[in-house]
Amino acid sequence: MAQCVQSVQEFIQDSFVPMVAVLCSEDAEKVTRKNNLNFSELLRPFCRLTSEGHMRDPNNQVQVVKNLRISVNNVVTRPSVPASGVPGHAHRRLLSEVVLTCQPAEGGVANVITAGDYDLNISATTPWFEAYRESFLQSMPASDHEFLNHYLACLLVVSSSEAVPVEKFLKLSQEQHRIQHSGEYTNPKWFIPNTLKYYVLLHDMSQGDEQRADSVYEDMKQRYGAQGCYLLKVNSRTAAAGADEQIPDPWSQYLHKSSLQSQDQYEDPAPVVVNDTAVENNVGGTSEVDGHDSEEKDGVLVNSLDNTHPLQLDTPSDPPGSLDALRAVAVETKPPPVATGMAAATSHGACLTLNDHDRIRLFIQEFTFRGLLPHIEKNIRQLNDQLVSRKGLSRSLFSATKKWFGGGKVPEKSIAELKNTSGLLYPPEAPELQIRKMADLCFLVQLYDLAYSCYHTAKKDFLSDQAMLYAAGALEMAAVSAFLQVGAPRPYPAHYMDTAIQTYRDVSMNMVLAERCALLSAEVLKSQAKYSDAATLLIKMTSEDSDLRSALLLEQAAHCFINMRNPMVRKFAFHMILAGHRFSKAGQKRHALRCYCQAMQVYKGKGWSLAEDHINFTIGRQSFTLRQPENAVTAFRHILTNDSQQTSTQQGAFLREYLYVYKVTHLQY
C-alpha cells in the first residue's frame, strides 16, 4: 500500500470516536447562521483535543486519554445507508465524488523505486484512497450488533435571547427523550438508555445582553450542575467588520465533505459533475454514446464500452466504434463549466474572532473532560459491576485470567447452516450485549487492555450462540484492540480479521462491514511489513458489485507488491492495469489514465508488443477523452510500428484512430 499521512494507530483511533448529537433551538441556529454554519459545523474543526484527559478504570487506576477526537452531528431521524449492508445510491455518489475531486498534484514529486532493471516513477502517496477511506468510515451506518457509532451524549443548545431559556431547554430535553425512547425512530441509535444531556447557552456578543446571559448561566449551574452546562460566547464582531480583517477559515475542509453528503441525501439522483469531469463520466453528454447504452455504477454515469476485459483490444467484428466515440468527444471542445459542492465565494466564520475560536476550543475541552469522560467512566463502572455479578464471573473482567479465553474459530458448520442463525437478535438487556457495550466504551477511551478482554469474552458467548454477525464484530474489534495495546503484549491476530471478513461477506451478506474490516486489517498488516498478506486481503475484497472499491483496492495491492523487500514489479504492473480498467468502468478516467501510465513503465521495451499495444491504445483513448490530444497522438504513434504483431485489420483500425486524433489536434492548434 502507498504511504499514508497518518500512522496506523492514528488512523484506527480516528475511525472509532465518541459520537455526540446536537439539538438546537431556532434562535440558536440563527446565531450560528451568521457565519454560514450550523452549530455542529461550527464545532467541527475544534473537535480534536490538544491536551490529555484522565479517567479511572474499574480497578481505580488512572488512565491517560491522548489525542482524543469527538464527532458532533445534528440529530437526523432517518438512515443514510440501508441497514442491509448494501451502500445506497447517495452513499455511492458521495464516495465517487470524493475520489473524483482528489487528483494527483500537477508536477508533484514522484517516488522513484529501483527494482532490478527498472527505475519506476510511482506516486509516493495516494490521497484519493485516503479520502475515500475516511469518507467511507465516517459514513458507516449505526448497527445493532455493535455500539461504536451510537450516540453517547446530546448537546442541547439554546440562545440567550430566548425569553425563558430554561423552558426551551426542557422542550429540547423532552424532544431528545422522545426520539430515543418513543419507538418511532430506528435512527439515530443511542449508546445507553440514560444519554448524557449537556446544556449549552449560546450568547451572541454582537447584539445580546451579556449581563443577562451571565445571570441565566448562574441559574443553569444551580439546575444542571456546573459540570452539566456551559455558556458559549460567539460573534464578537459583525460580518461587515470581518470583511476587512483576514481570519483563518478552518471550516472549508470539513464543509466540502458535509456538503457532498447533504447534497446526496436530499437531491434527486444525478450524474456526478465536478470540475471538468462531465467528459469523464459521460463522453457524449447524453445518456447514450455511440449506440451503446450507458449505465450507472458507483454513483456515476459510465459508457458500457468500458465493460470489457482489461486486456481486450477491439476486434475486427466491432470496428471498434471507437472513431465515432472519439468524434463524440471532439464535438464539444470547450471545457465544461466548473461545478463544485459549494460556492467558492461562501465565507465561514465572518463574525468570529480568534478569541471566539479559542472559546469554542475551550468549550469542547470542558465538555469532554468535565462531562463526557466522567459519564463514560461512570457507565464503565456500572457495566463492570453488572458483569461481575453474572453467574460464573467472580471478579473484575479487568483482572480476568487467560483461562477464560478460547480460540476464535467459527463452528464447523456449512455457510448455509450459519445463514439460518445470522438473523439472531439479542434483547437490549442481554448480558452478552452488555459485555459488548462495555468493550466499545473502553475502546472509545483508549482502554485497549480492558476492551480486548471484553471483546474476547463476548466473542466466546456469541460463537456459543452461533450469533455470527455479533461474533464477527467481536472478533474484528478484539484484533484491533490487541494491535493497539501498549507494548503489544500479544501478536496481531490476523486470523480473527479473516474470520470476521468471511462471516460479514458470506454469512451476513454485509459488504460494508466486510470492507471496513479489510481496510483496518490491511493497514495493520502494512505497518508490520506483511505486504504479501495485505495484498492478498485487498484482492479478495474486489468484486463486481463496486468498480470504484475494486479499483482502489487493486491499486493499493499493486503498491504492496512494489513495496515488498523483493519488489514484485510485474505483479505491480498487472494489478495497476486491472485497477485502471476498474477505474475506467467507474467513470474515473483520470485515475484510469494514471494507472495505465504507471504500468507502462514496466512493459515498455521488454518485447511484450501486444501488451504494449493494448496499454498505448488505452492511454491514447483516455488521453483524447480527457482533452489531451497531444498525449493521445504520442500514444497512438507508438502502436504504428513496422514490426507490429497485430493483424492487418487491427493495424488499419489503429491507423484510422491515429489519423483522426492527429487531424483534430492540428485543427485545434
Side-chain angles (χ1 to χ4, degrees):
M1 294 173 73
Q3 299 172 15
C4 296
V5 175
Q6 290 181 306
S7 70
V8 61
Q9 288 82 3
E10 292 171 336
F11 159 62
I12 295 175
Q13 190 173 312
D14 274 4
S15 300
F16 304 100
V17 298
M19 302 281 289
V20 179
V22 171
L23 280 177
C24 245
S25 71
E26 291 183 12
D27 285 355
E29 284 287 357
K30 289 178 183 177
V31 173
T32 60
R33 280 295 171 202
K34 290 183 178 181
N35 299 287
N36 292 316
L37 301 163
N38 61 38
F39 187 77
S40 62
E41 291 169 345
L42 179 74
L43 303 183
R44 207 154 287 161
F46 309 100
C47 285
R48 184 179 298 283
L49 276 67
T50 54
S51 53
E52 294 179 352
H54 298 85
M55 59 183 297
R56 293 184 180 273
D57 62 32
N59 278 1
N60 212 33
Q61 298 296 311
V62 175
Q63 303 291 335
V64 178
V65 182
K66 299 179 181 179
N67 200 34
L68 182 67
R69 184 177 71 87
I70 64 173
S71 177
V72 180
N73 302 286
N74 289 338
V75 171
V76 178
T77 54
R78 69 186 185 93
S80 58
V81 178
S84 64
V86 179
H89 171 79
H91 191 236
R92 291 195 303 271
R93 280 187 60 205
L94 166 66
L95 296 175
S96 181
E97 190 163 347
V98 163
V99 175
L100 204 56
T101 55
C102 190
Q103 299 289 340
E106 293 292 334
V109 178
N111 187 31
V112 179
I113 293 181
T114 301
D117 298 334
Y118 301 95
D119 289 320
L120 305 177
N121 289 317
I122 298 171
S123 303
T125 60
T126 50
W128 47 90
F129 171 70
E130 293 183 60
Y132 169 90
R133 190 178 63 181
E134 180 185 355
S135 295
F136 172 81
L137 292 170
Q138 289 185 358
S139 58
M140 284 285 295
S143 303
D144 289 323
H145 78 288
E146 63 184 17
F147 301 91
L148 293 164
N149 284 344
H150 294 203
Y151 285 114
L152 272 164
C154 185
L155 300 177
L156 307 178
V157 188
V158 169
S159 171
S160 61
S161 64
E162 293 278 358
V164 188
V166 173
E167 287 187 5
K168 203 68 178 178
F169 277 125
L170 178 60
K171 288 182 179 178
L172 289 179
S173 178
Q174 291 171 342
E175 176 68 7
Q176 188 280 328
H177 188 274
R178 184 181 69 83
I179 291 172
Q180 181 174 356
H181 297 290
S182 68
E184 296 178 36
Y185 306 105
T186 56
N187 282 278
K189 297 186 184 297
W190 304 88
F191 210 108
I192 50 180
N194 186 24
T195 299
L196 170 67
K197 296 186 180 72
Y198 196 83
Y199 301 85
V200 182
L201 186 67
L202 189 64
H203 178 64
D204 189 334
M205 295 285 285
S206 64
Q207 63 181 39
D209 183 344
E210 188 172 0
Q211 188 174 354
R212 178 177 182 270
D214 291 335
S215 174
V216 172
Y217 180 52
E218 289 300 320
D219 181 47
M220 289 170 59
K221 287 194 286 188
Q222 295 296 321
R223 287 176 178 270
Y224 311 123
Q227 298 185 351
C229 59
Y230 197 86
L231 172 59
L232 178 59
K233 299 178 180 180
V234 295
N235 295 352
S236 295
R237 63 178 183 175
T238 61
D244 302 327
E245 185 182 355
Q246 292 297 321
I247 296 289
D249 177 5
W251 292 276
S252 297
Q253 58 178 318
Y254 299 92
L255 294 183
H256 180 61
K257 298 170 189 174
S258 62
S259 71
L260 295 182
Q261 287 178 321
S262 60
Q263 187 176 306
D264 283 333
Q265 288 176 4
Y266 300 113
E267 288 184 1
D268 291 330
V272 177
V273 182
V274 178
N275 296 333
D276 56 350
T277 52
V279 172
E280 296 184 30
N281 295 340
N282 186 359
V283 172
T286 65
S287 60
E288 195 170 288
V289 180
D290 190 35
H292 295 263
D293 293 336
S294 295
E295 63 178 348
E296 190 170 300
K297 298 199 76 172
D298 291 309
V300 297
L301 202 63
V302 296
N303 185 3
S304 61
L305 280 171
D306 286 326
N307 297 331
T308 57
H309 192 276
L311 300 181
Q312 176 182 321
L313 286 171
D314 296 307
T315 61
S317 60
D318 178 21
S322 54
L323 276 180
D324 294 330
L326 292 177
R327 290 190 183 104
V329 177
V331 167
E332 179 58 65
T333 57
K334 295 180 182 178
V338 174
T340 61
M342 52 189 299
T346 303
S347 63
H348 305 100
C351 298
L352 301 173
T353 64
L354 291 177
N355 284 338
D356 288 329
H357 292 198
D358 291 338
R359 290 191 187 104
I360 297 170
R361 193 176 287 109
L362 180 61
F363 160 64
I364 291 292
Q365 183 170 303
E366 286 290 305
F367 161 68
T368 305
F369 290 162
R370 302 183 66 185
L372 184 61
L373 288 183
H375 177 70
I376 294 174
E377 179 184 320
K378 182 183 73 173
N379 279 278
I380 289 176
R381 284 181 177 276
Q382 290 177 351
L383 286 166
N384 185 70
D385 291 343
Q386 291 175 23
L387 296 175
V388 166
S389 64
R390 269 186 71 192
K391 184 178 180 181
L393 300 187
S394 58
R395 57 179 123 173
S396 168
L397 282 170
F398 186 73
S399 57
T401 60
K402 291 183 180 178
K403 67 181 181 181
W404 289 1
F405 305 144
K409 296 181 180 178
V410 174
E412 297 293 331
K413 287 179 176 286
S414 68
I415 292 295
E417 288 178 300
L418 290 175
K419 283 182 180 178
N420 293 330
T421 67
S422 63
L424 176 65
L425 292 175
Y426 289 96
E429 66 280 359
E432 294 84 356
L433 281 192
Q434 302 310 305
I435 298 178
R436 173 67 204 239
K437 188 176 290 187
M438 180 174 169
D440 287 346
L441 273 177
C442 294
F443 188 90
L444 291 174
V445 291
Q446 304 171 15
L447 303 180
Y448 299 122
D449 290 351
L450 183 52
Y452 176 81
S453 297
C454 294
Y455 285 128
H456 215 307
T457 303
K459 176 261 301 180
K460 286 184 62 179
D461 291 341
F462 293 140
L463 287 175
S464 176
D465 293 339
Q466 296 180 23
M468 300 313 299
L469 176 62
Y470 293 87
L475 284 166
E476 175 187 8
M477 296 310 298
V480 174
S481 299
F483 172 75
L484 291 175
Q485 282 178 298
V486 178
R490 53 180 60 82
Y492 170 65
H495 60 290
Y496 279 16
M497 283 297 208
D498 294 339
T499 302
I501 292 171
Q502 181 186 5
T503 305
Y504 284 143
R505 184 181 57 199
D506 300 333
V507 179
S508 301
M509 310 298 288
N510 193 315
M511 282 301 295
V512 171
L513 291 172
E515 183 176 352
R516 179 185 73 179
C517 203
L519 291 173
L520 295 171
S521 189
E523 196 65 32
V524 172
L525 292 170
K526 184 192 83 167
S527 73
Q528 298 177 337
K530 297 178 180 177
Y531 291 107
S532 179
D533 293 342
T536 301
L537 173 60
L538 293 166
I539 293 168
K540 281 182 180 178
M541 285 302 298
T542 61
S543 61
E544 291 302 315
D545 66 309
S546 173
D547 287 315
L548 181 61
R549 180 186 70 238
S550 298
L552 289 163
L553 298 187
L554 284 166
E555 182 182 14
Q556 293 305 306
H559 280 279
C560 287
F561 288 124
I562 204 66
N563 281 306
M564 294 173 67
R565 181 175 298 176
N566 297 313
M568 304 179 75
V569 180
R570 295 181 186 178
K571 278 199 171 185
F572 161 78
F574 180 69
H575 285 86
M576 288 300 275
I577 292 289
L578 296 178
H581 176 64
R582 299 304 290 270
F583 271 129
S584 184
K585 289 180 69 178
Q588 304 278 346
K589 304 296 185 184
R590 292 184 186 278
H591 288 299
L593 178 59
R594 174 182 49 75
C595 289
Y596 278 105
C597 288
Q598 290 196 357
M600 188 60 177
Q601 299 175 88
V602 175
Y603 289 100
K604 188 175 182 180
K606 300 300 178 187
W608 300 330
S609 61
L610 294 180
E612 273 195 74
D613 287 350
H614 165 75
I615 297 171
N616 275 314
F617 178 79
T618 307
I619 289 174
R621 270 198 168 183
Q622 300 282 22
S623 297
F624 192 81
T625 301
L626 293 168
R627 292 190 172 83
Q628 300 173 11
E630 290 183 341
N631 292 340
V633 167
T634 302
F636 281 125
R637 188 180 293 144
H638 284 307
I639 55 180
L640 299 174
T641 59
N642 291 331
D643 55 352
S644 173
Q645 296 183 28
Q646 301 287 350
T647 64
S648 58
T649 306
Q650 188 65 61
Q651 290 183 59
F654 287 161
L655 179 61
R656 287 195 302 274
E657 297 220 17
Y658 169 73
L659 292 174
Y660 180 74
V661 172
Y662 186 84
K663 176 183 175 183
V664 170
T665 303
H666 283 264
L667 284 176
Q668 289 181 353
Y669 300 98

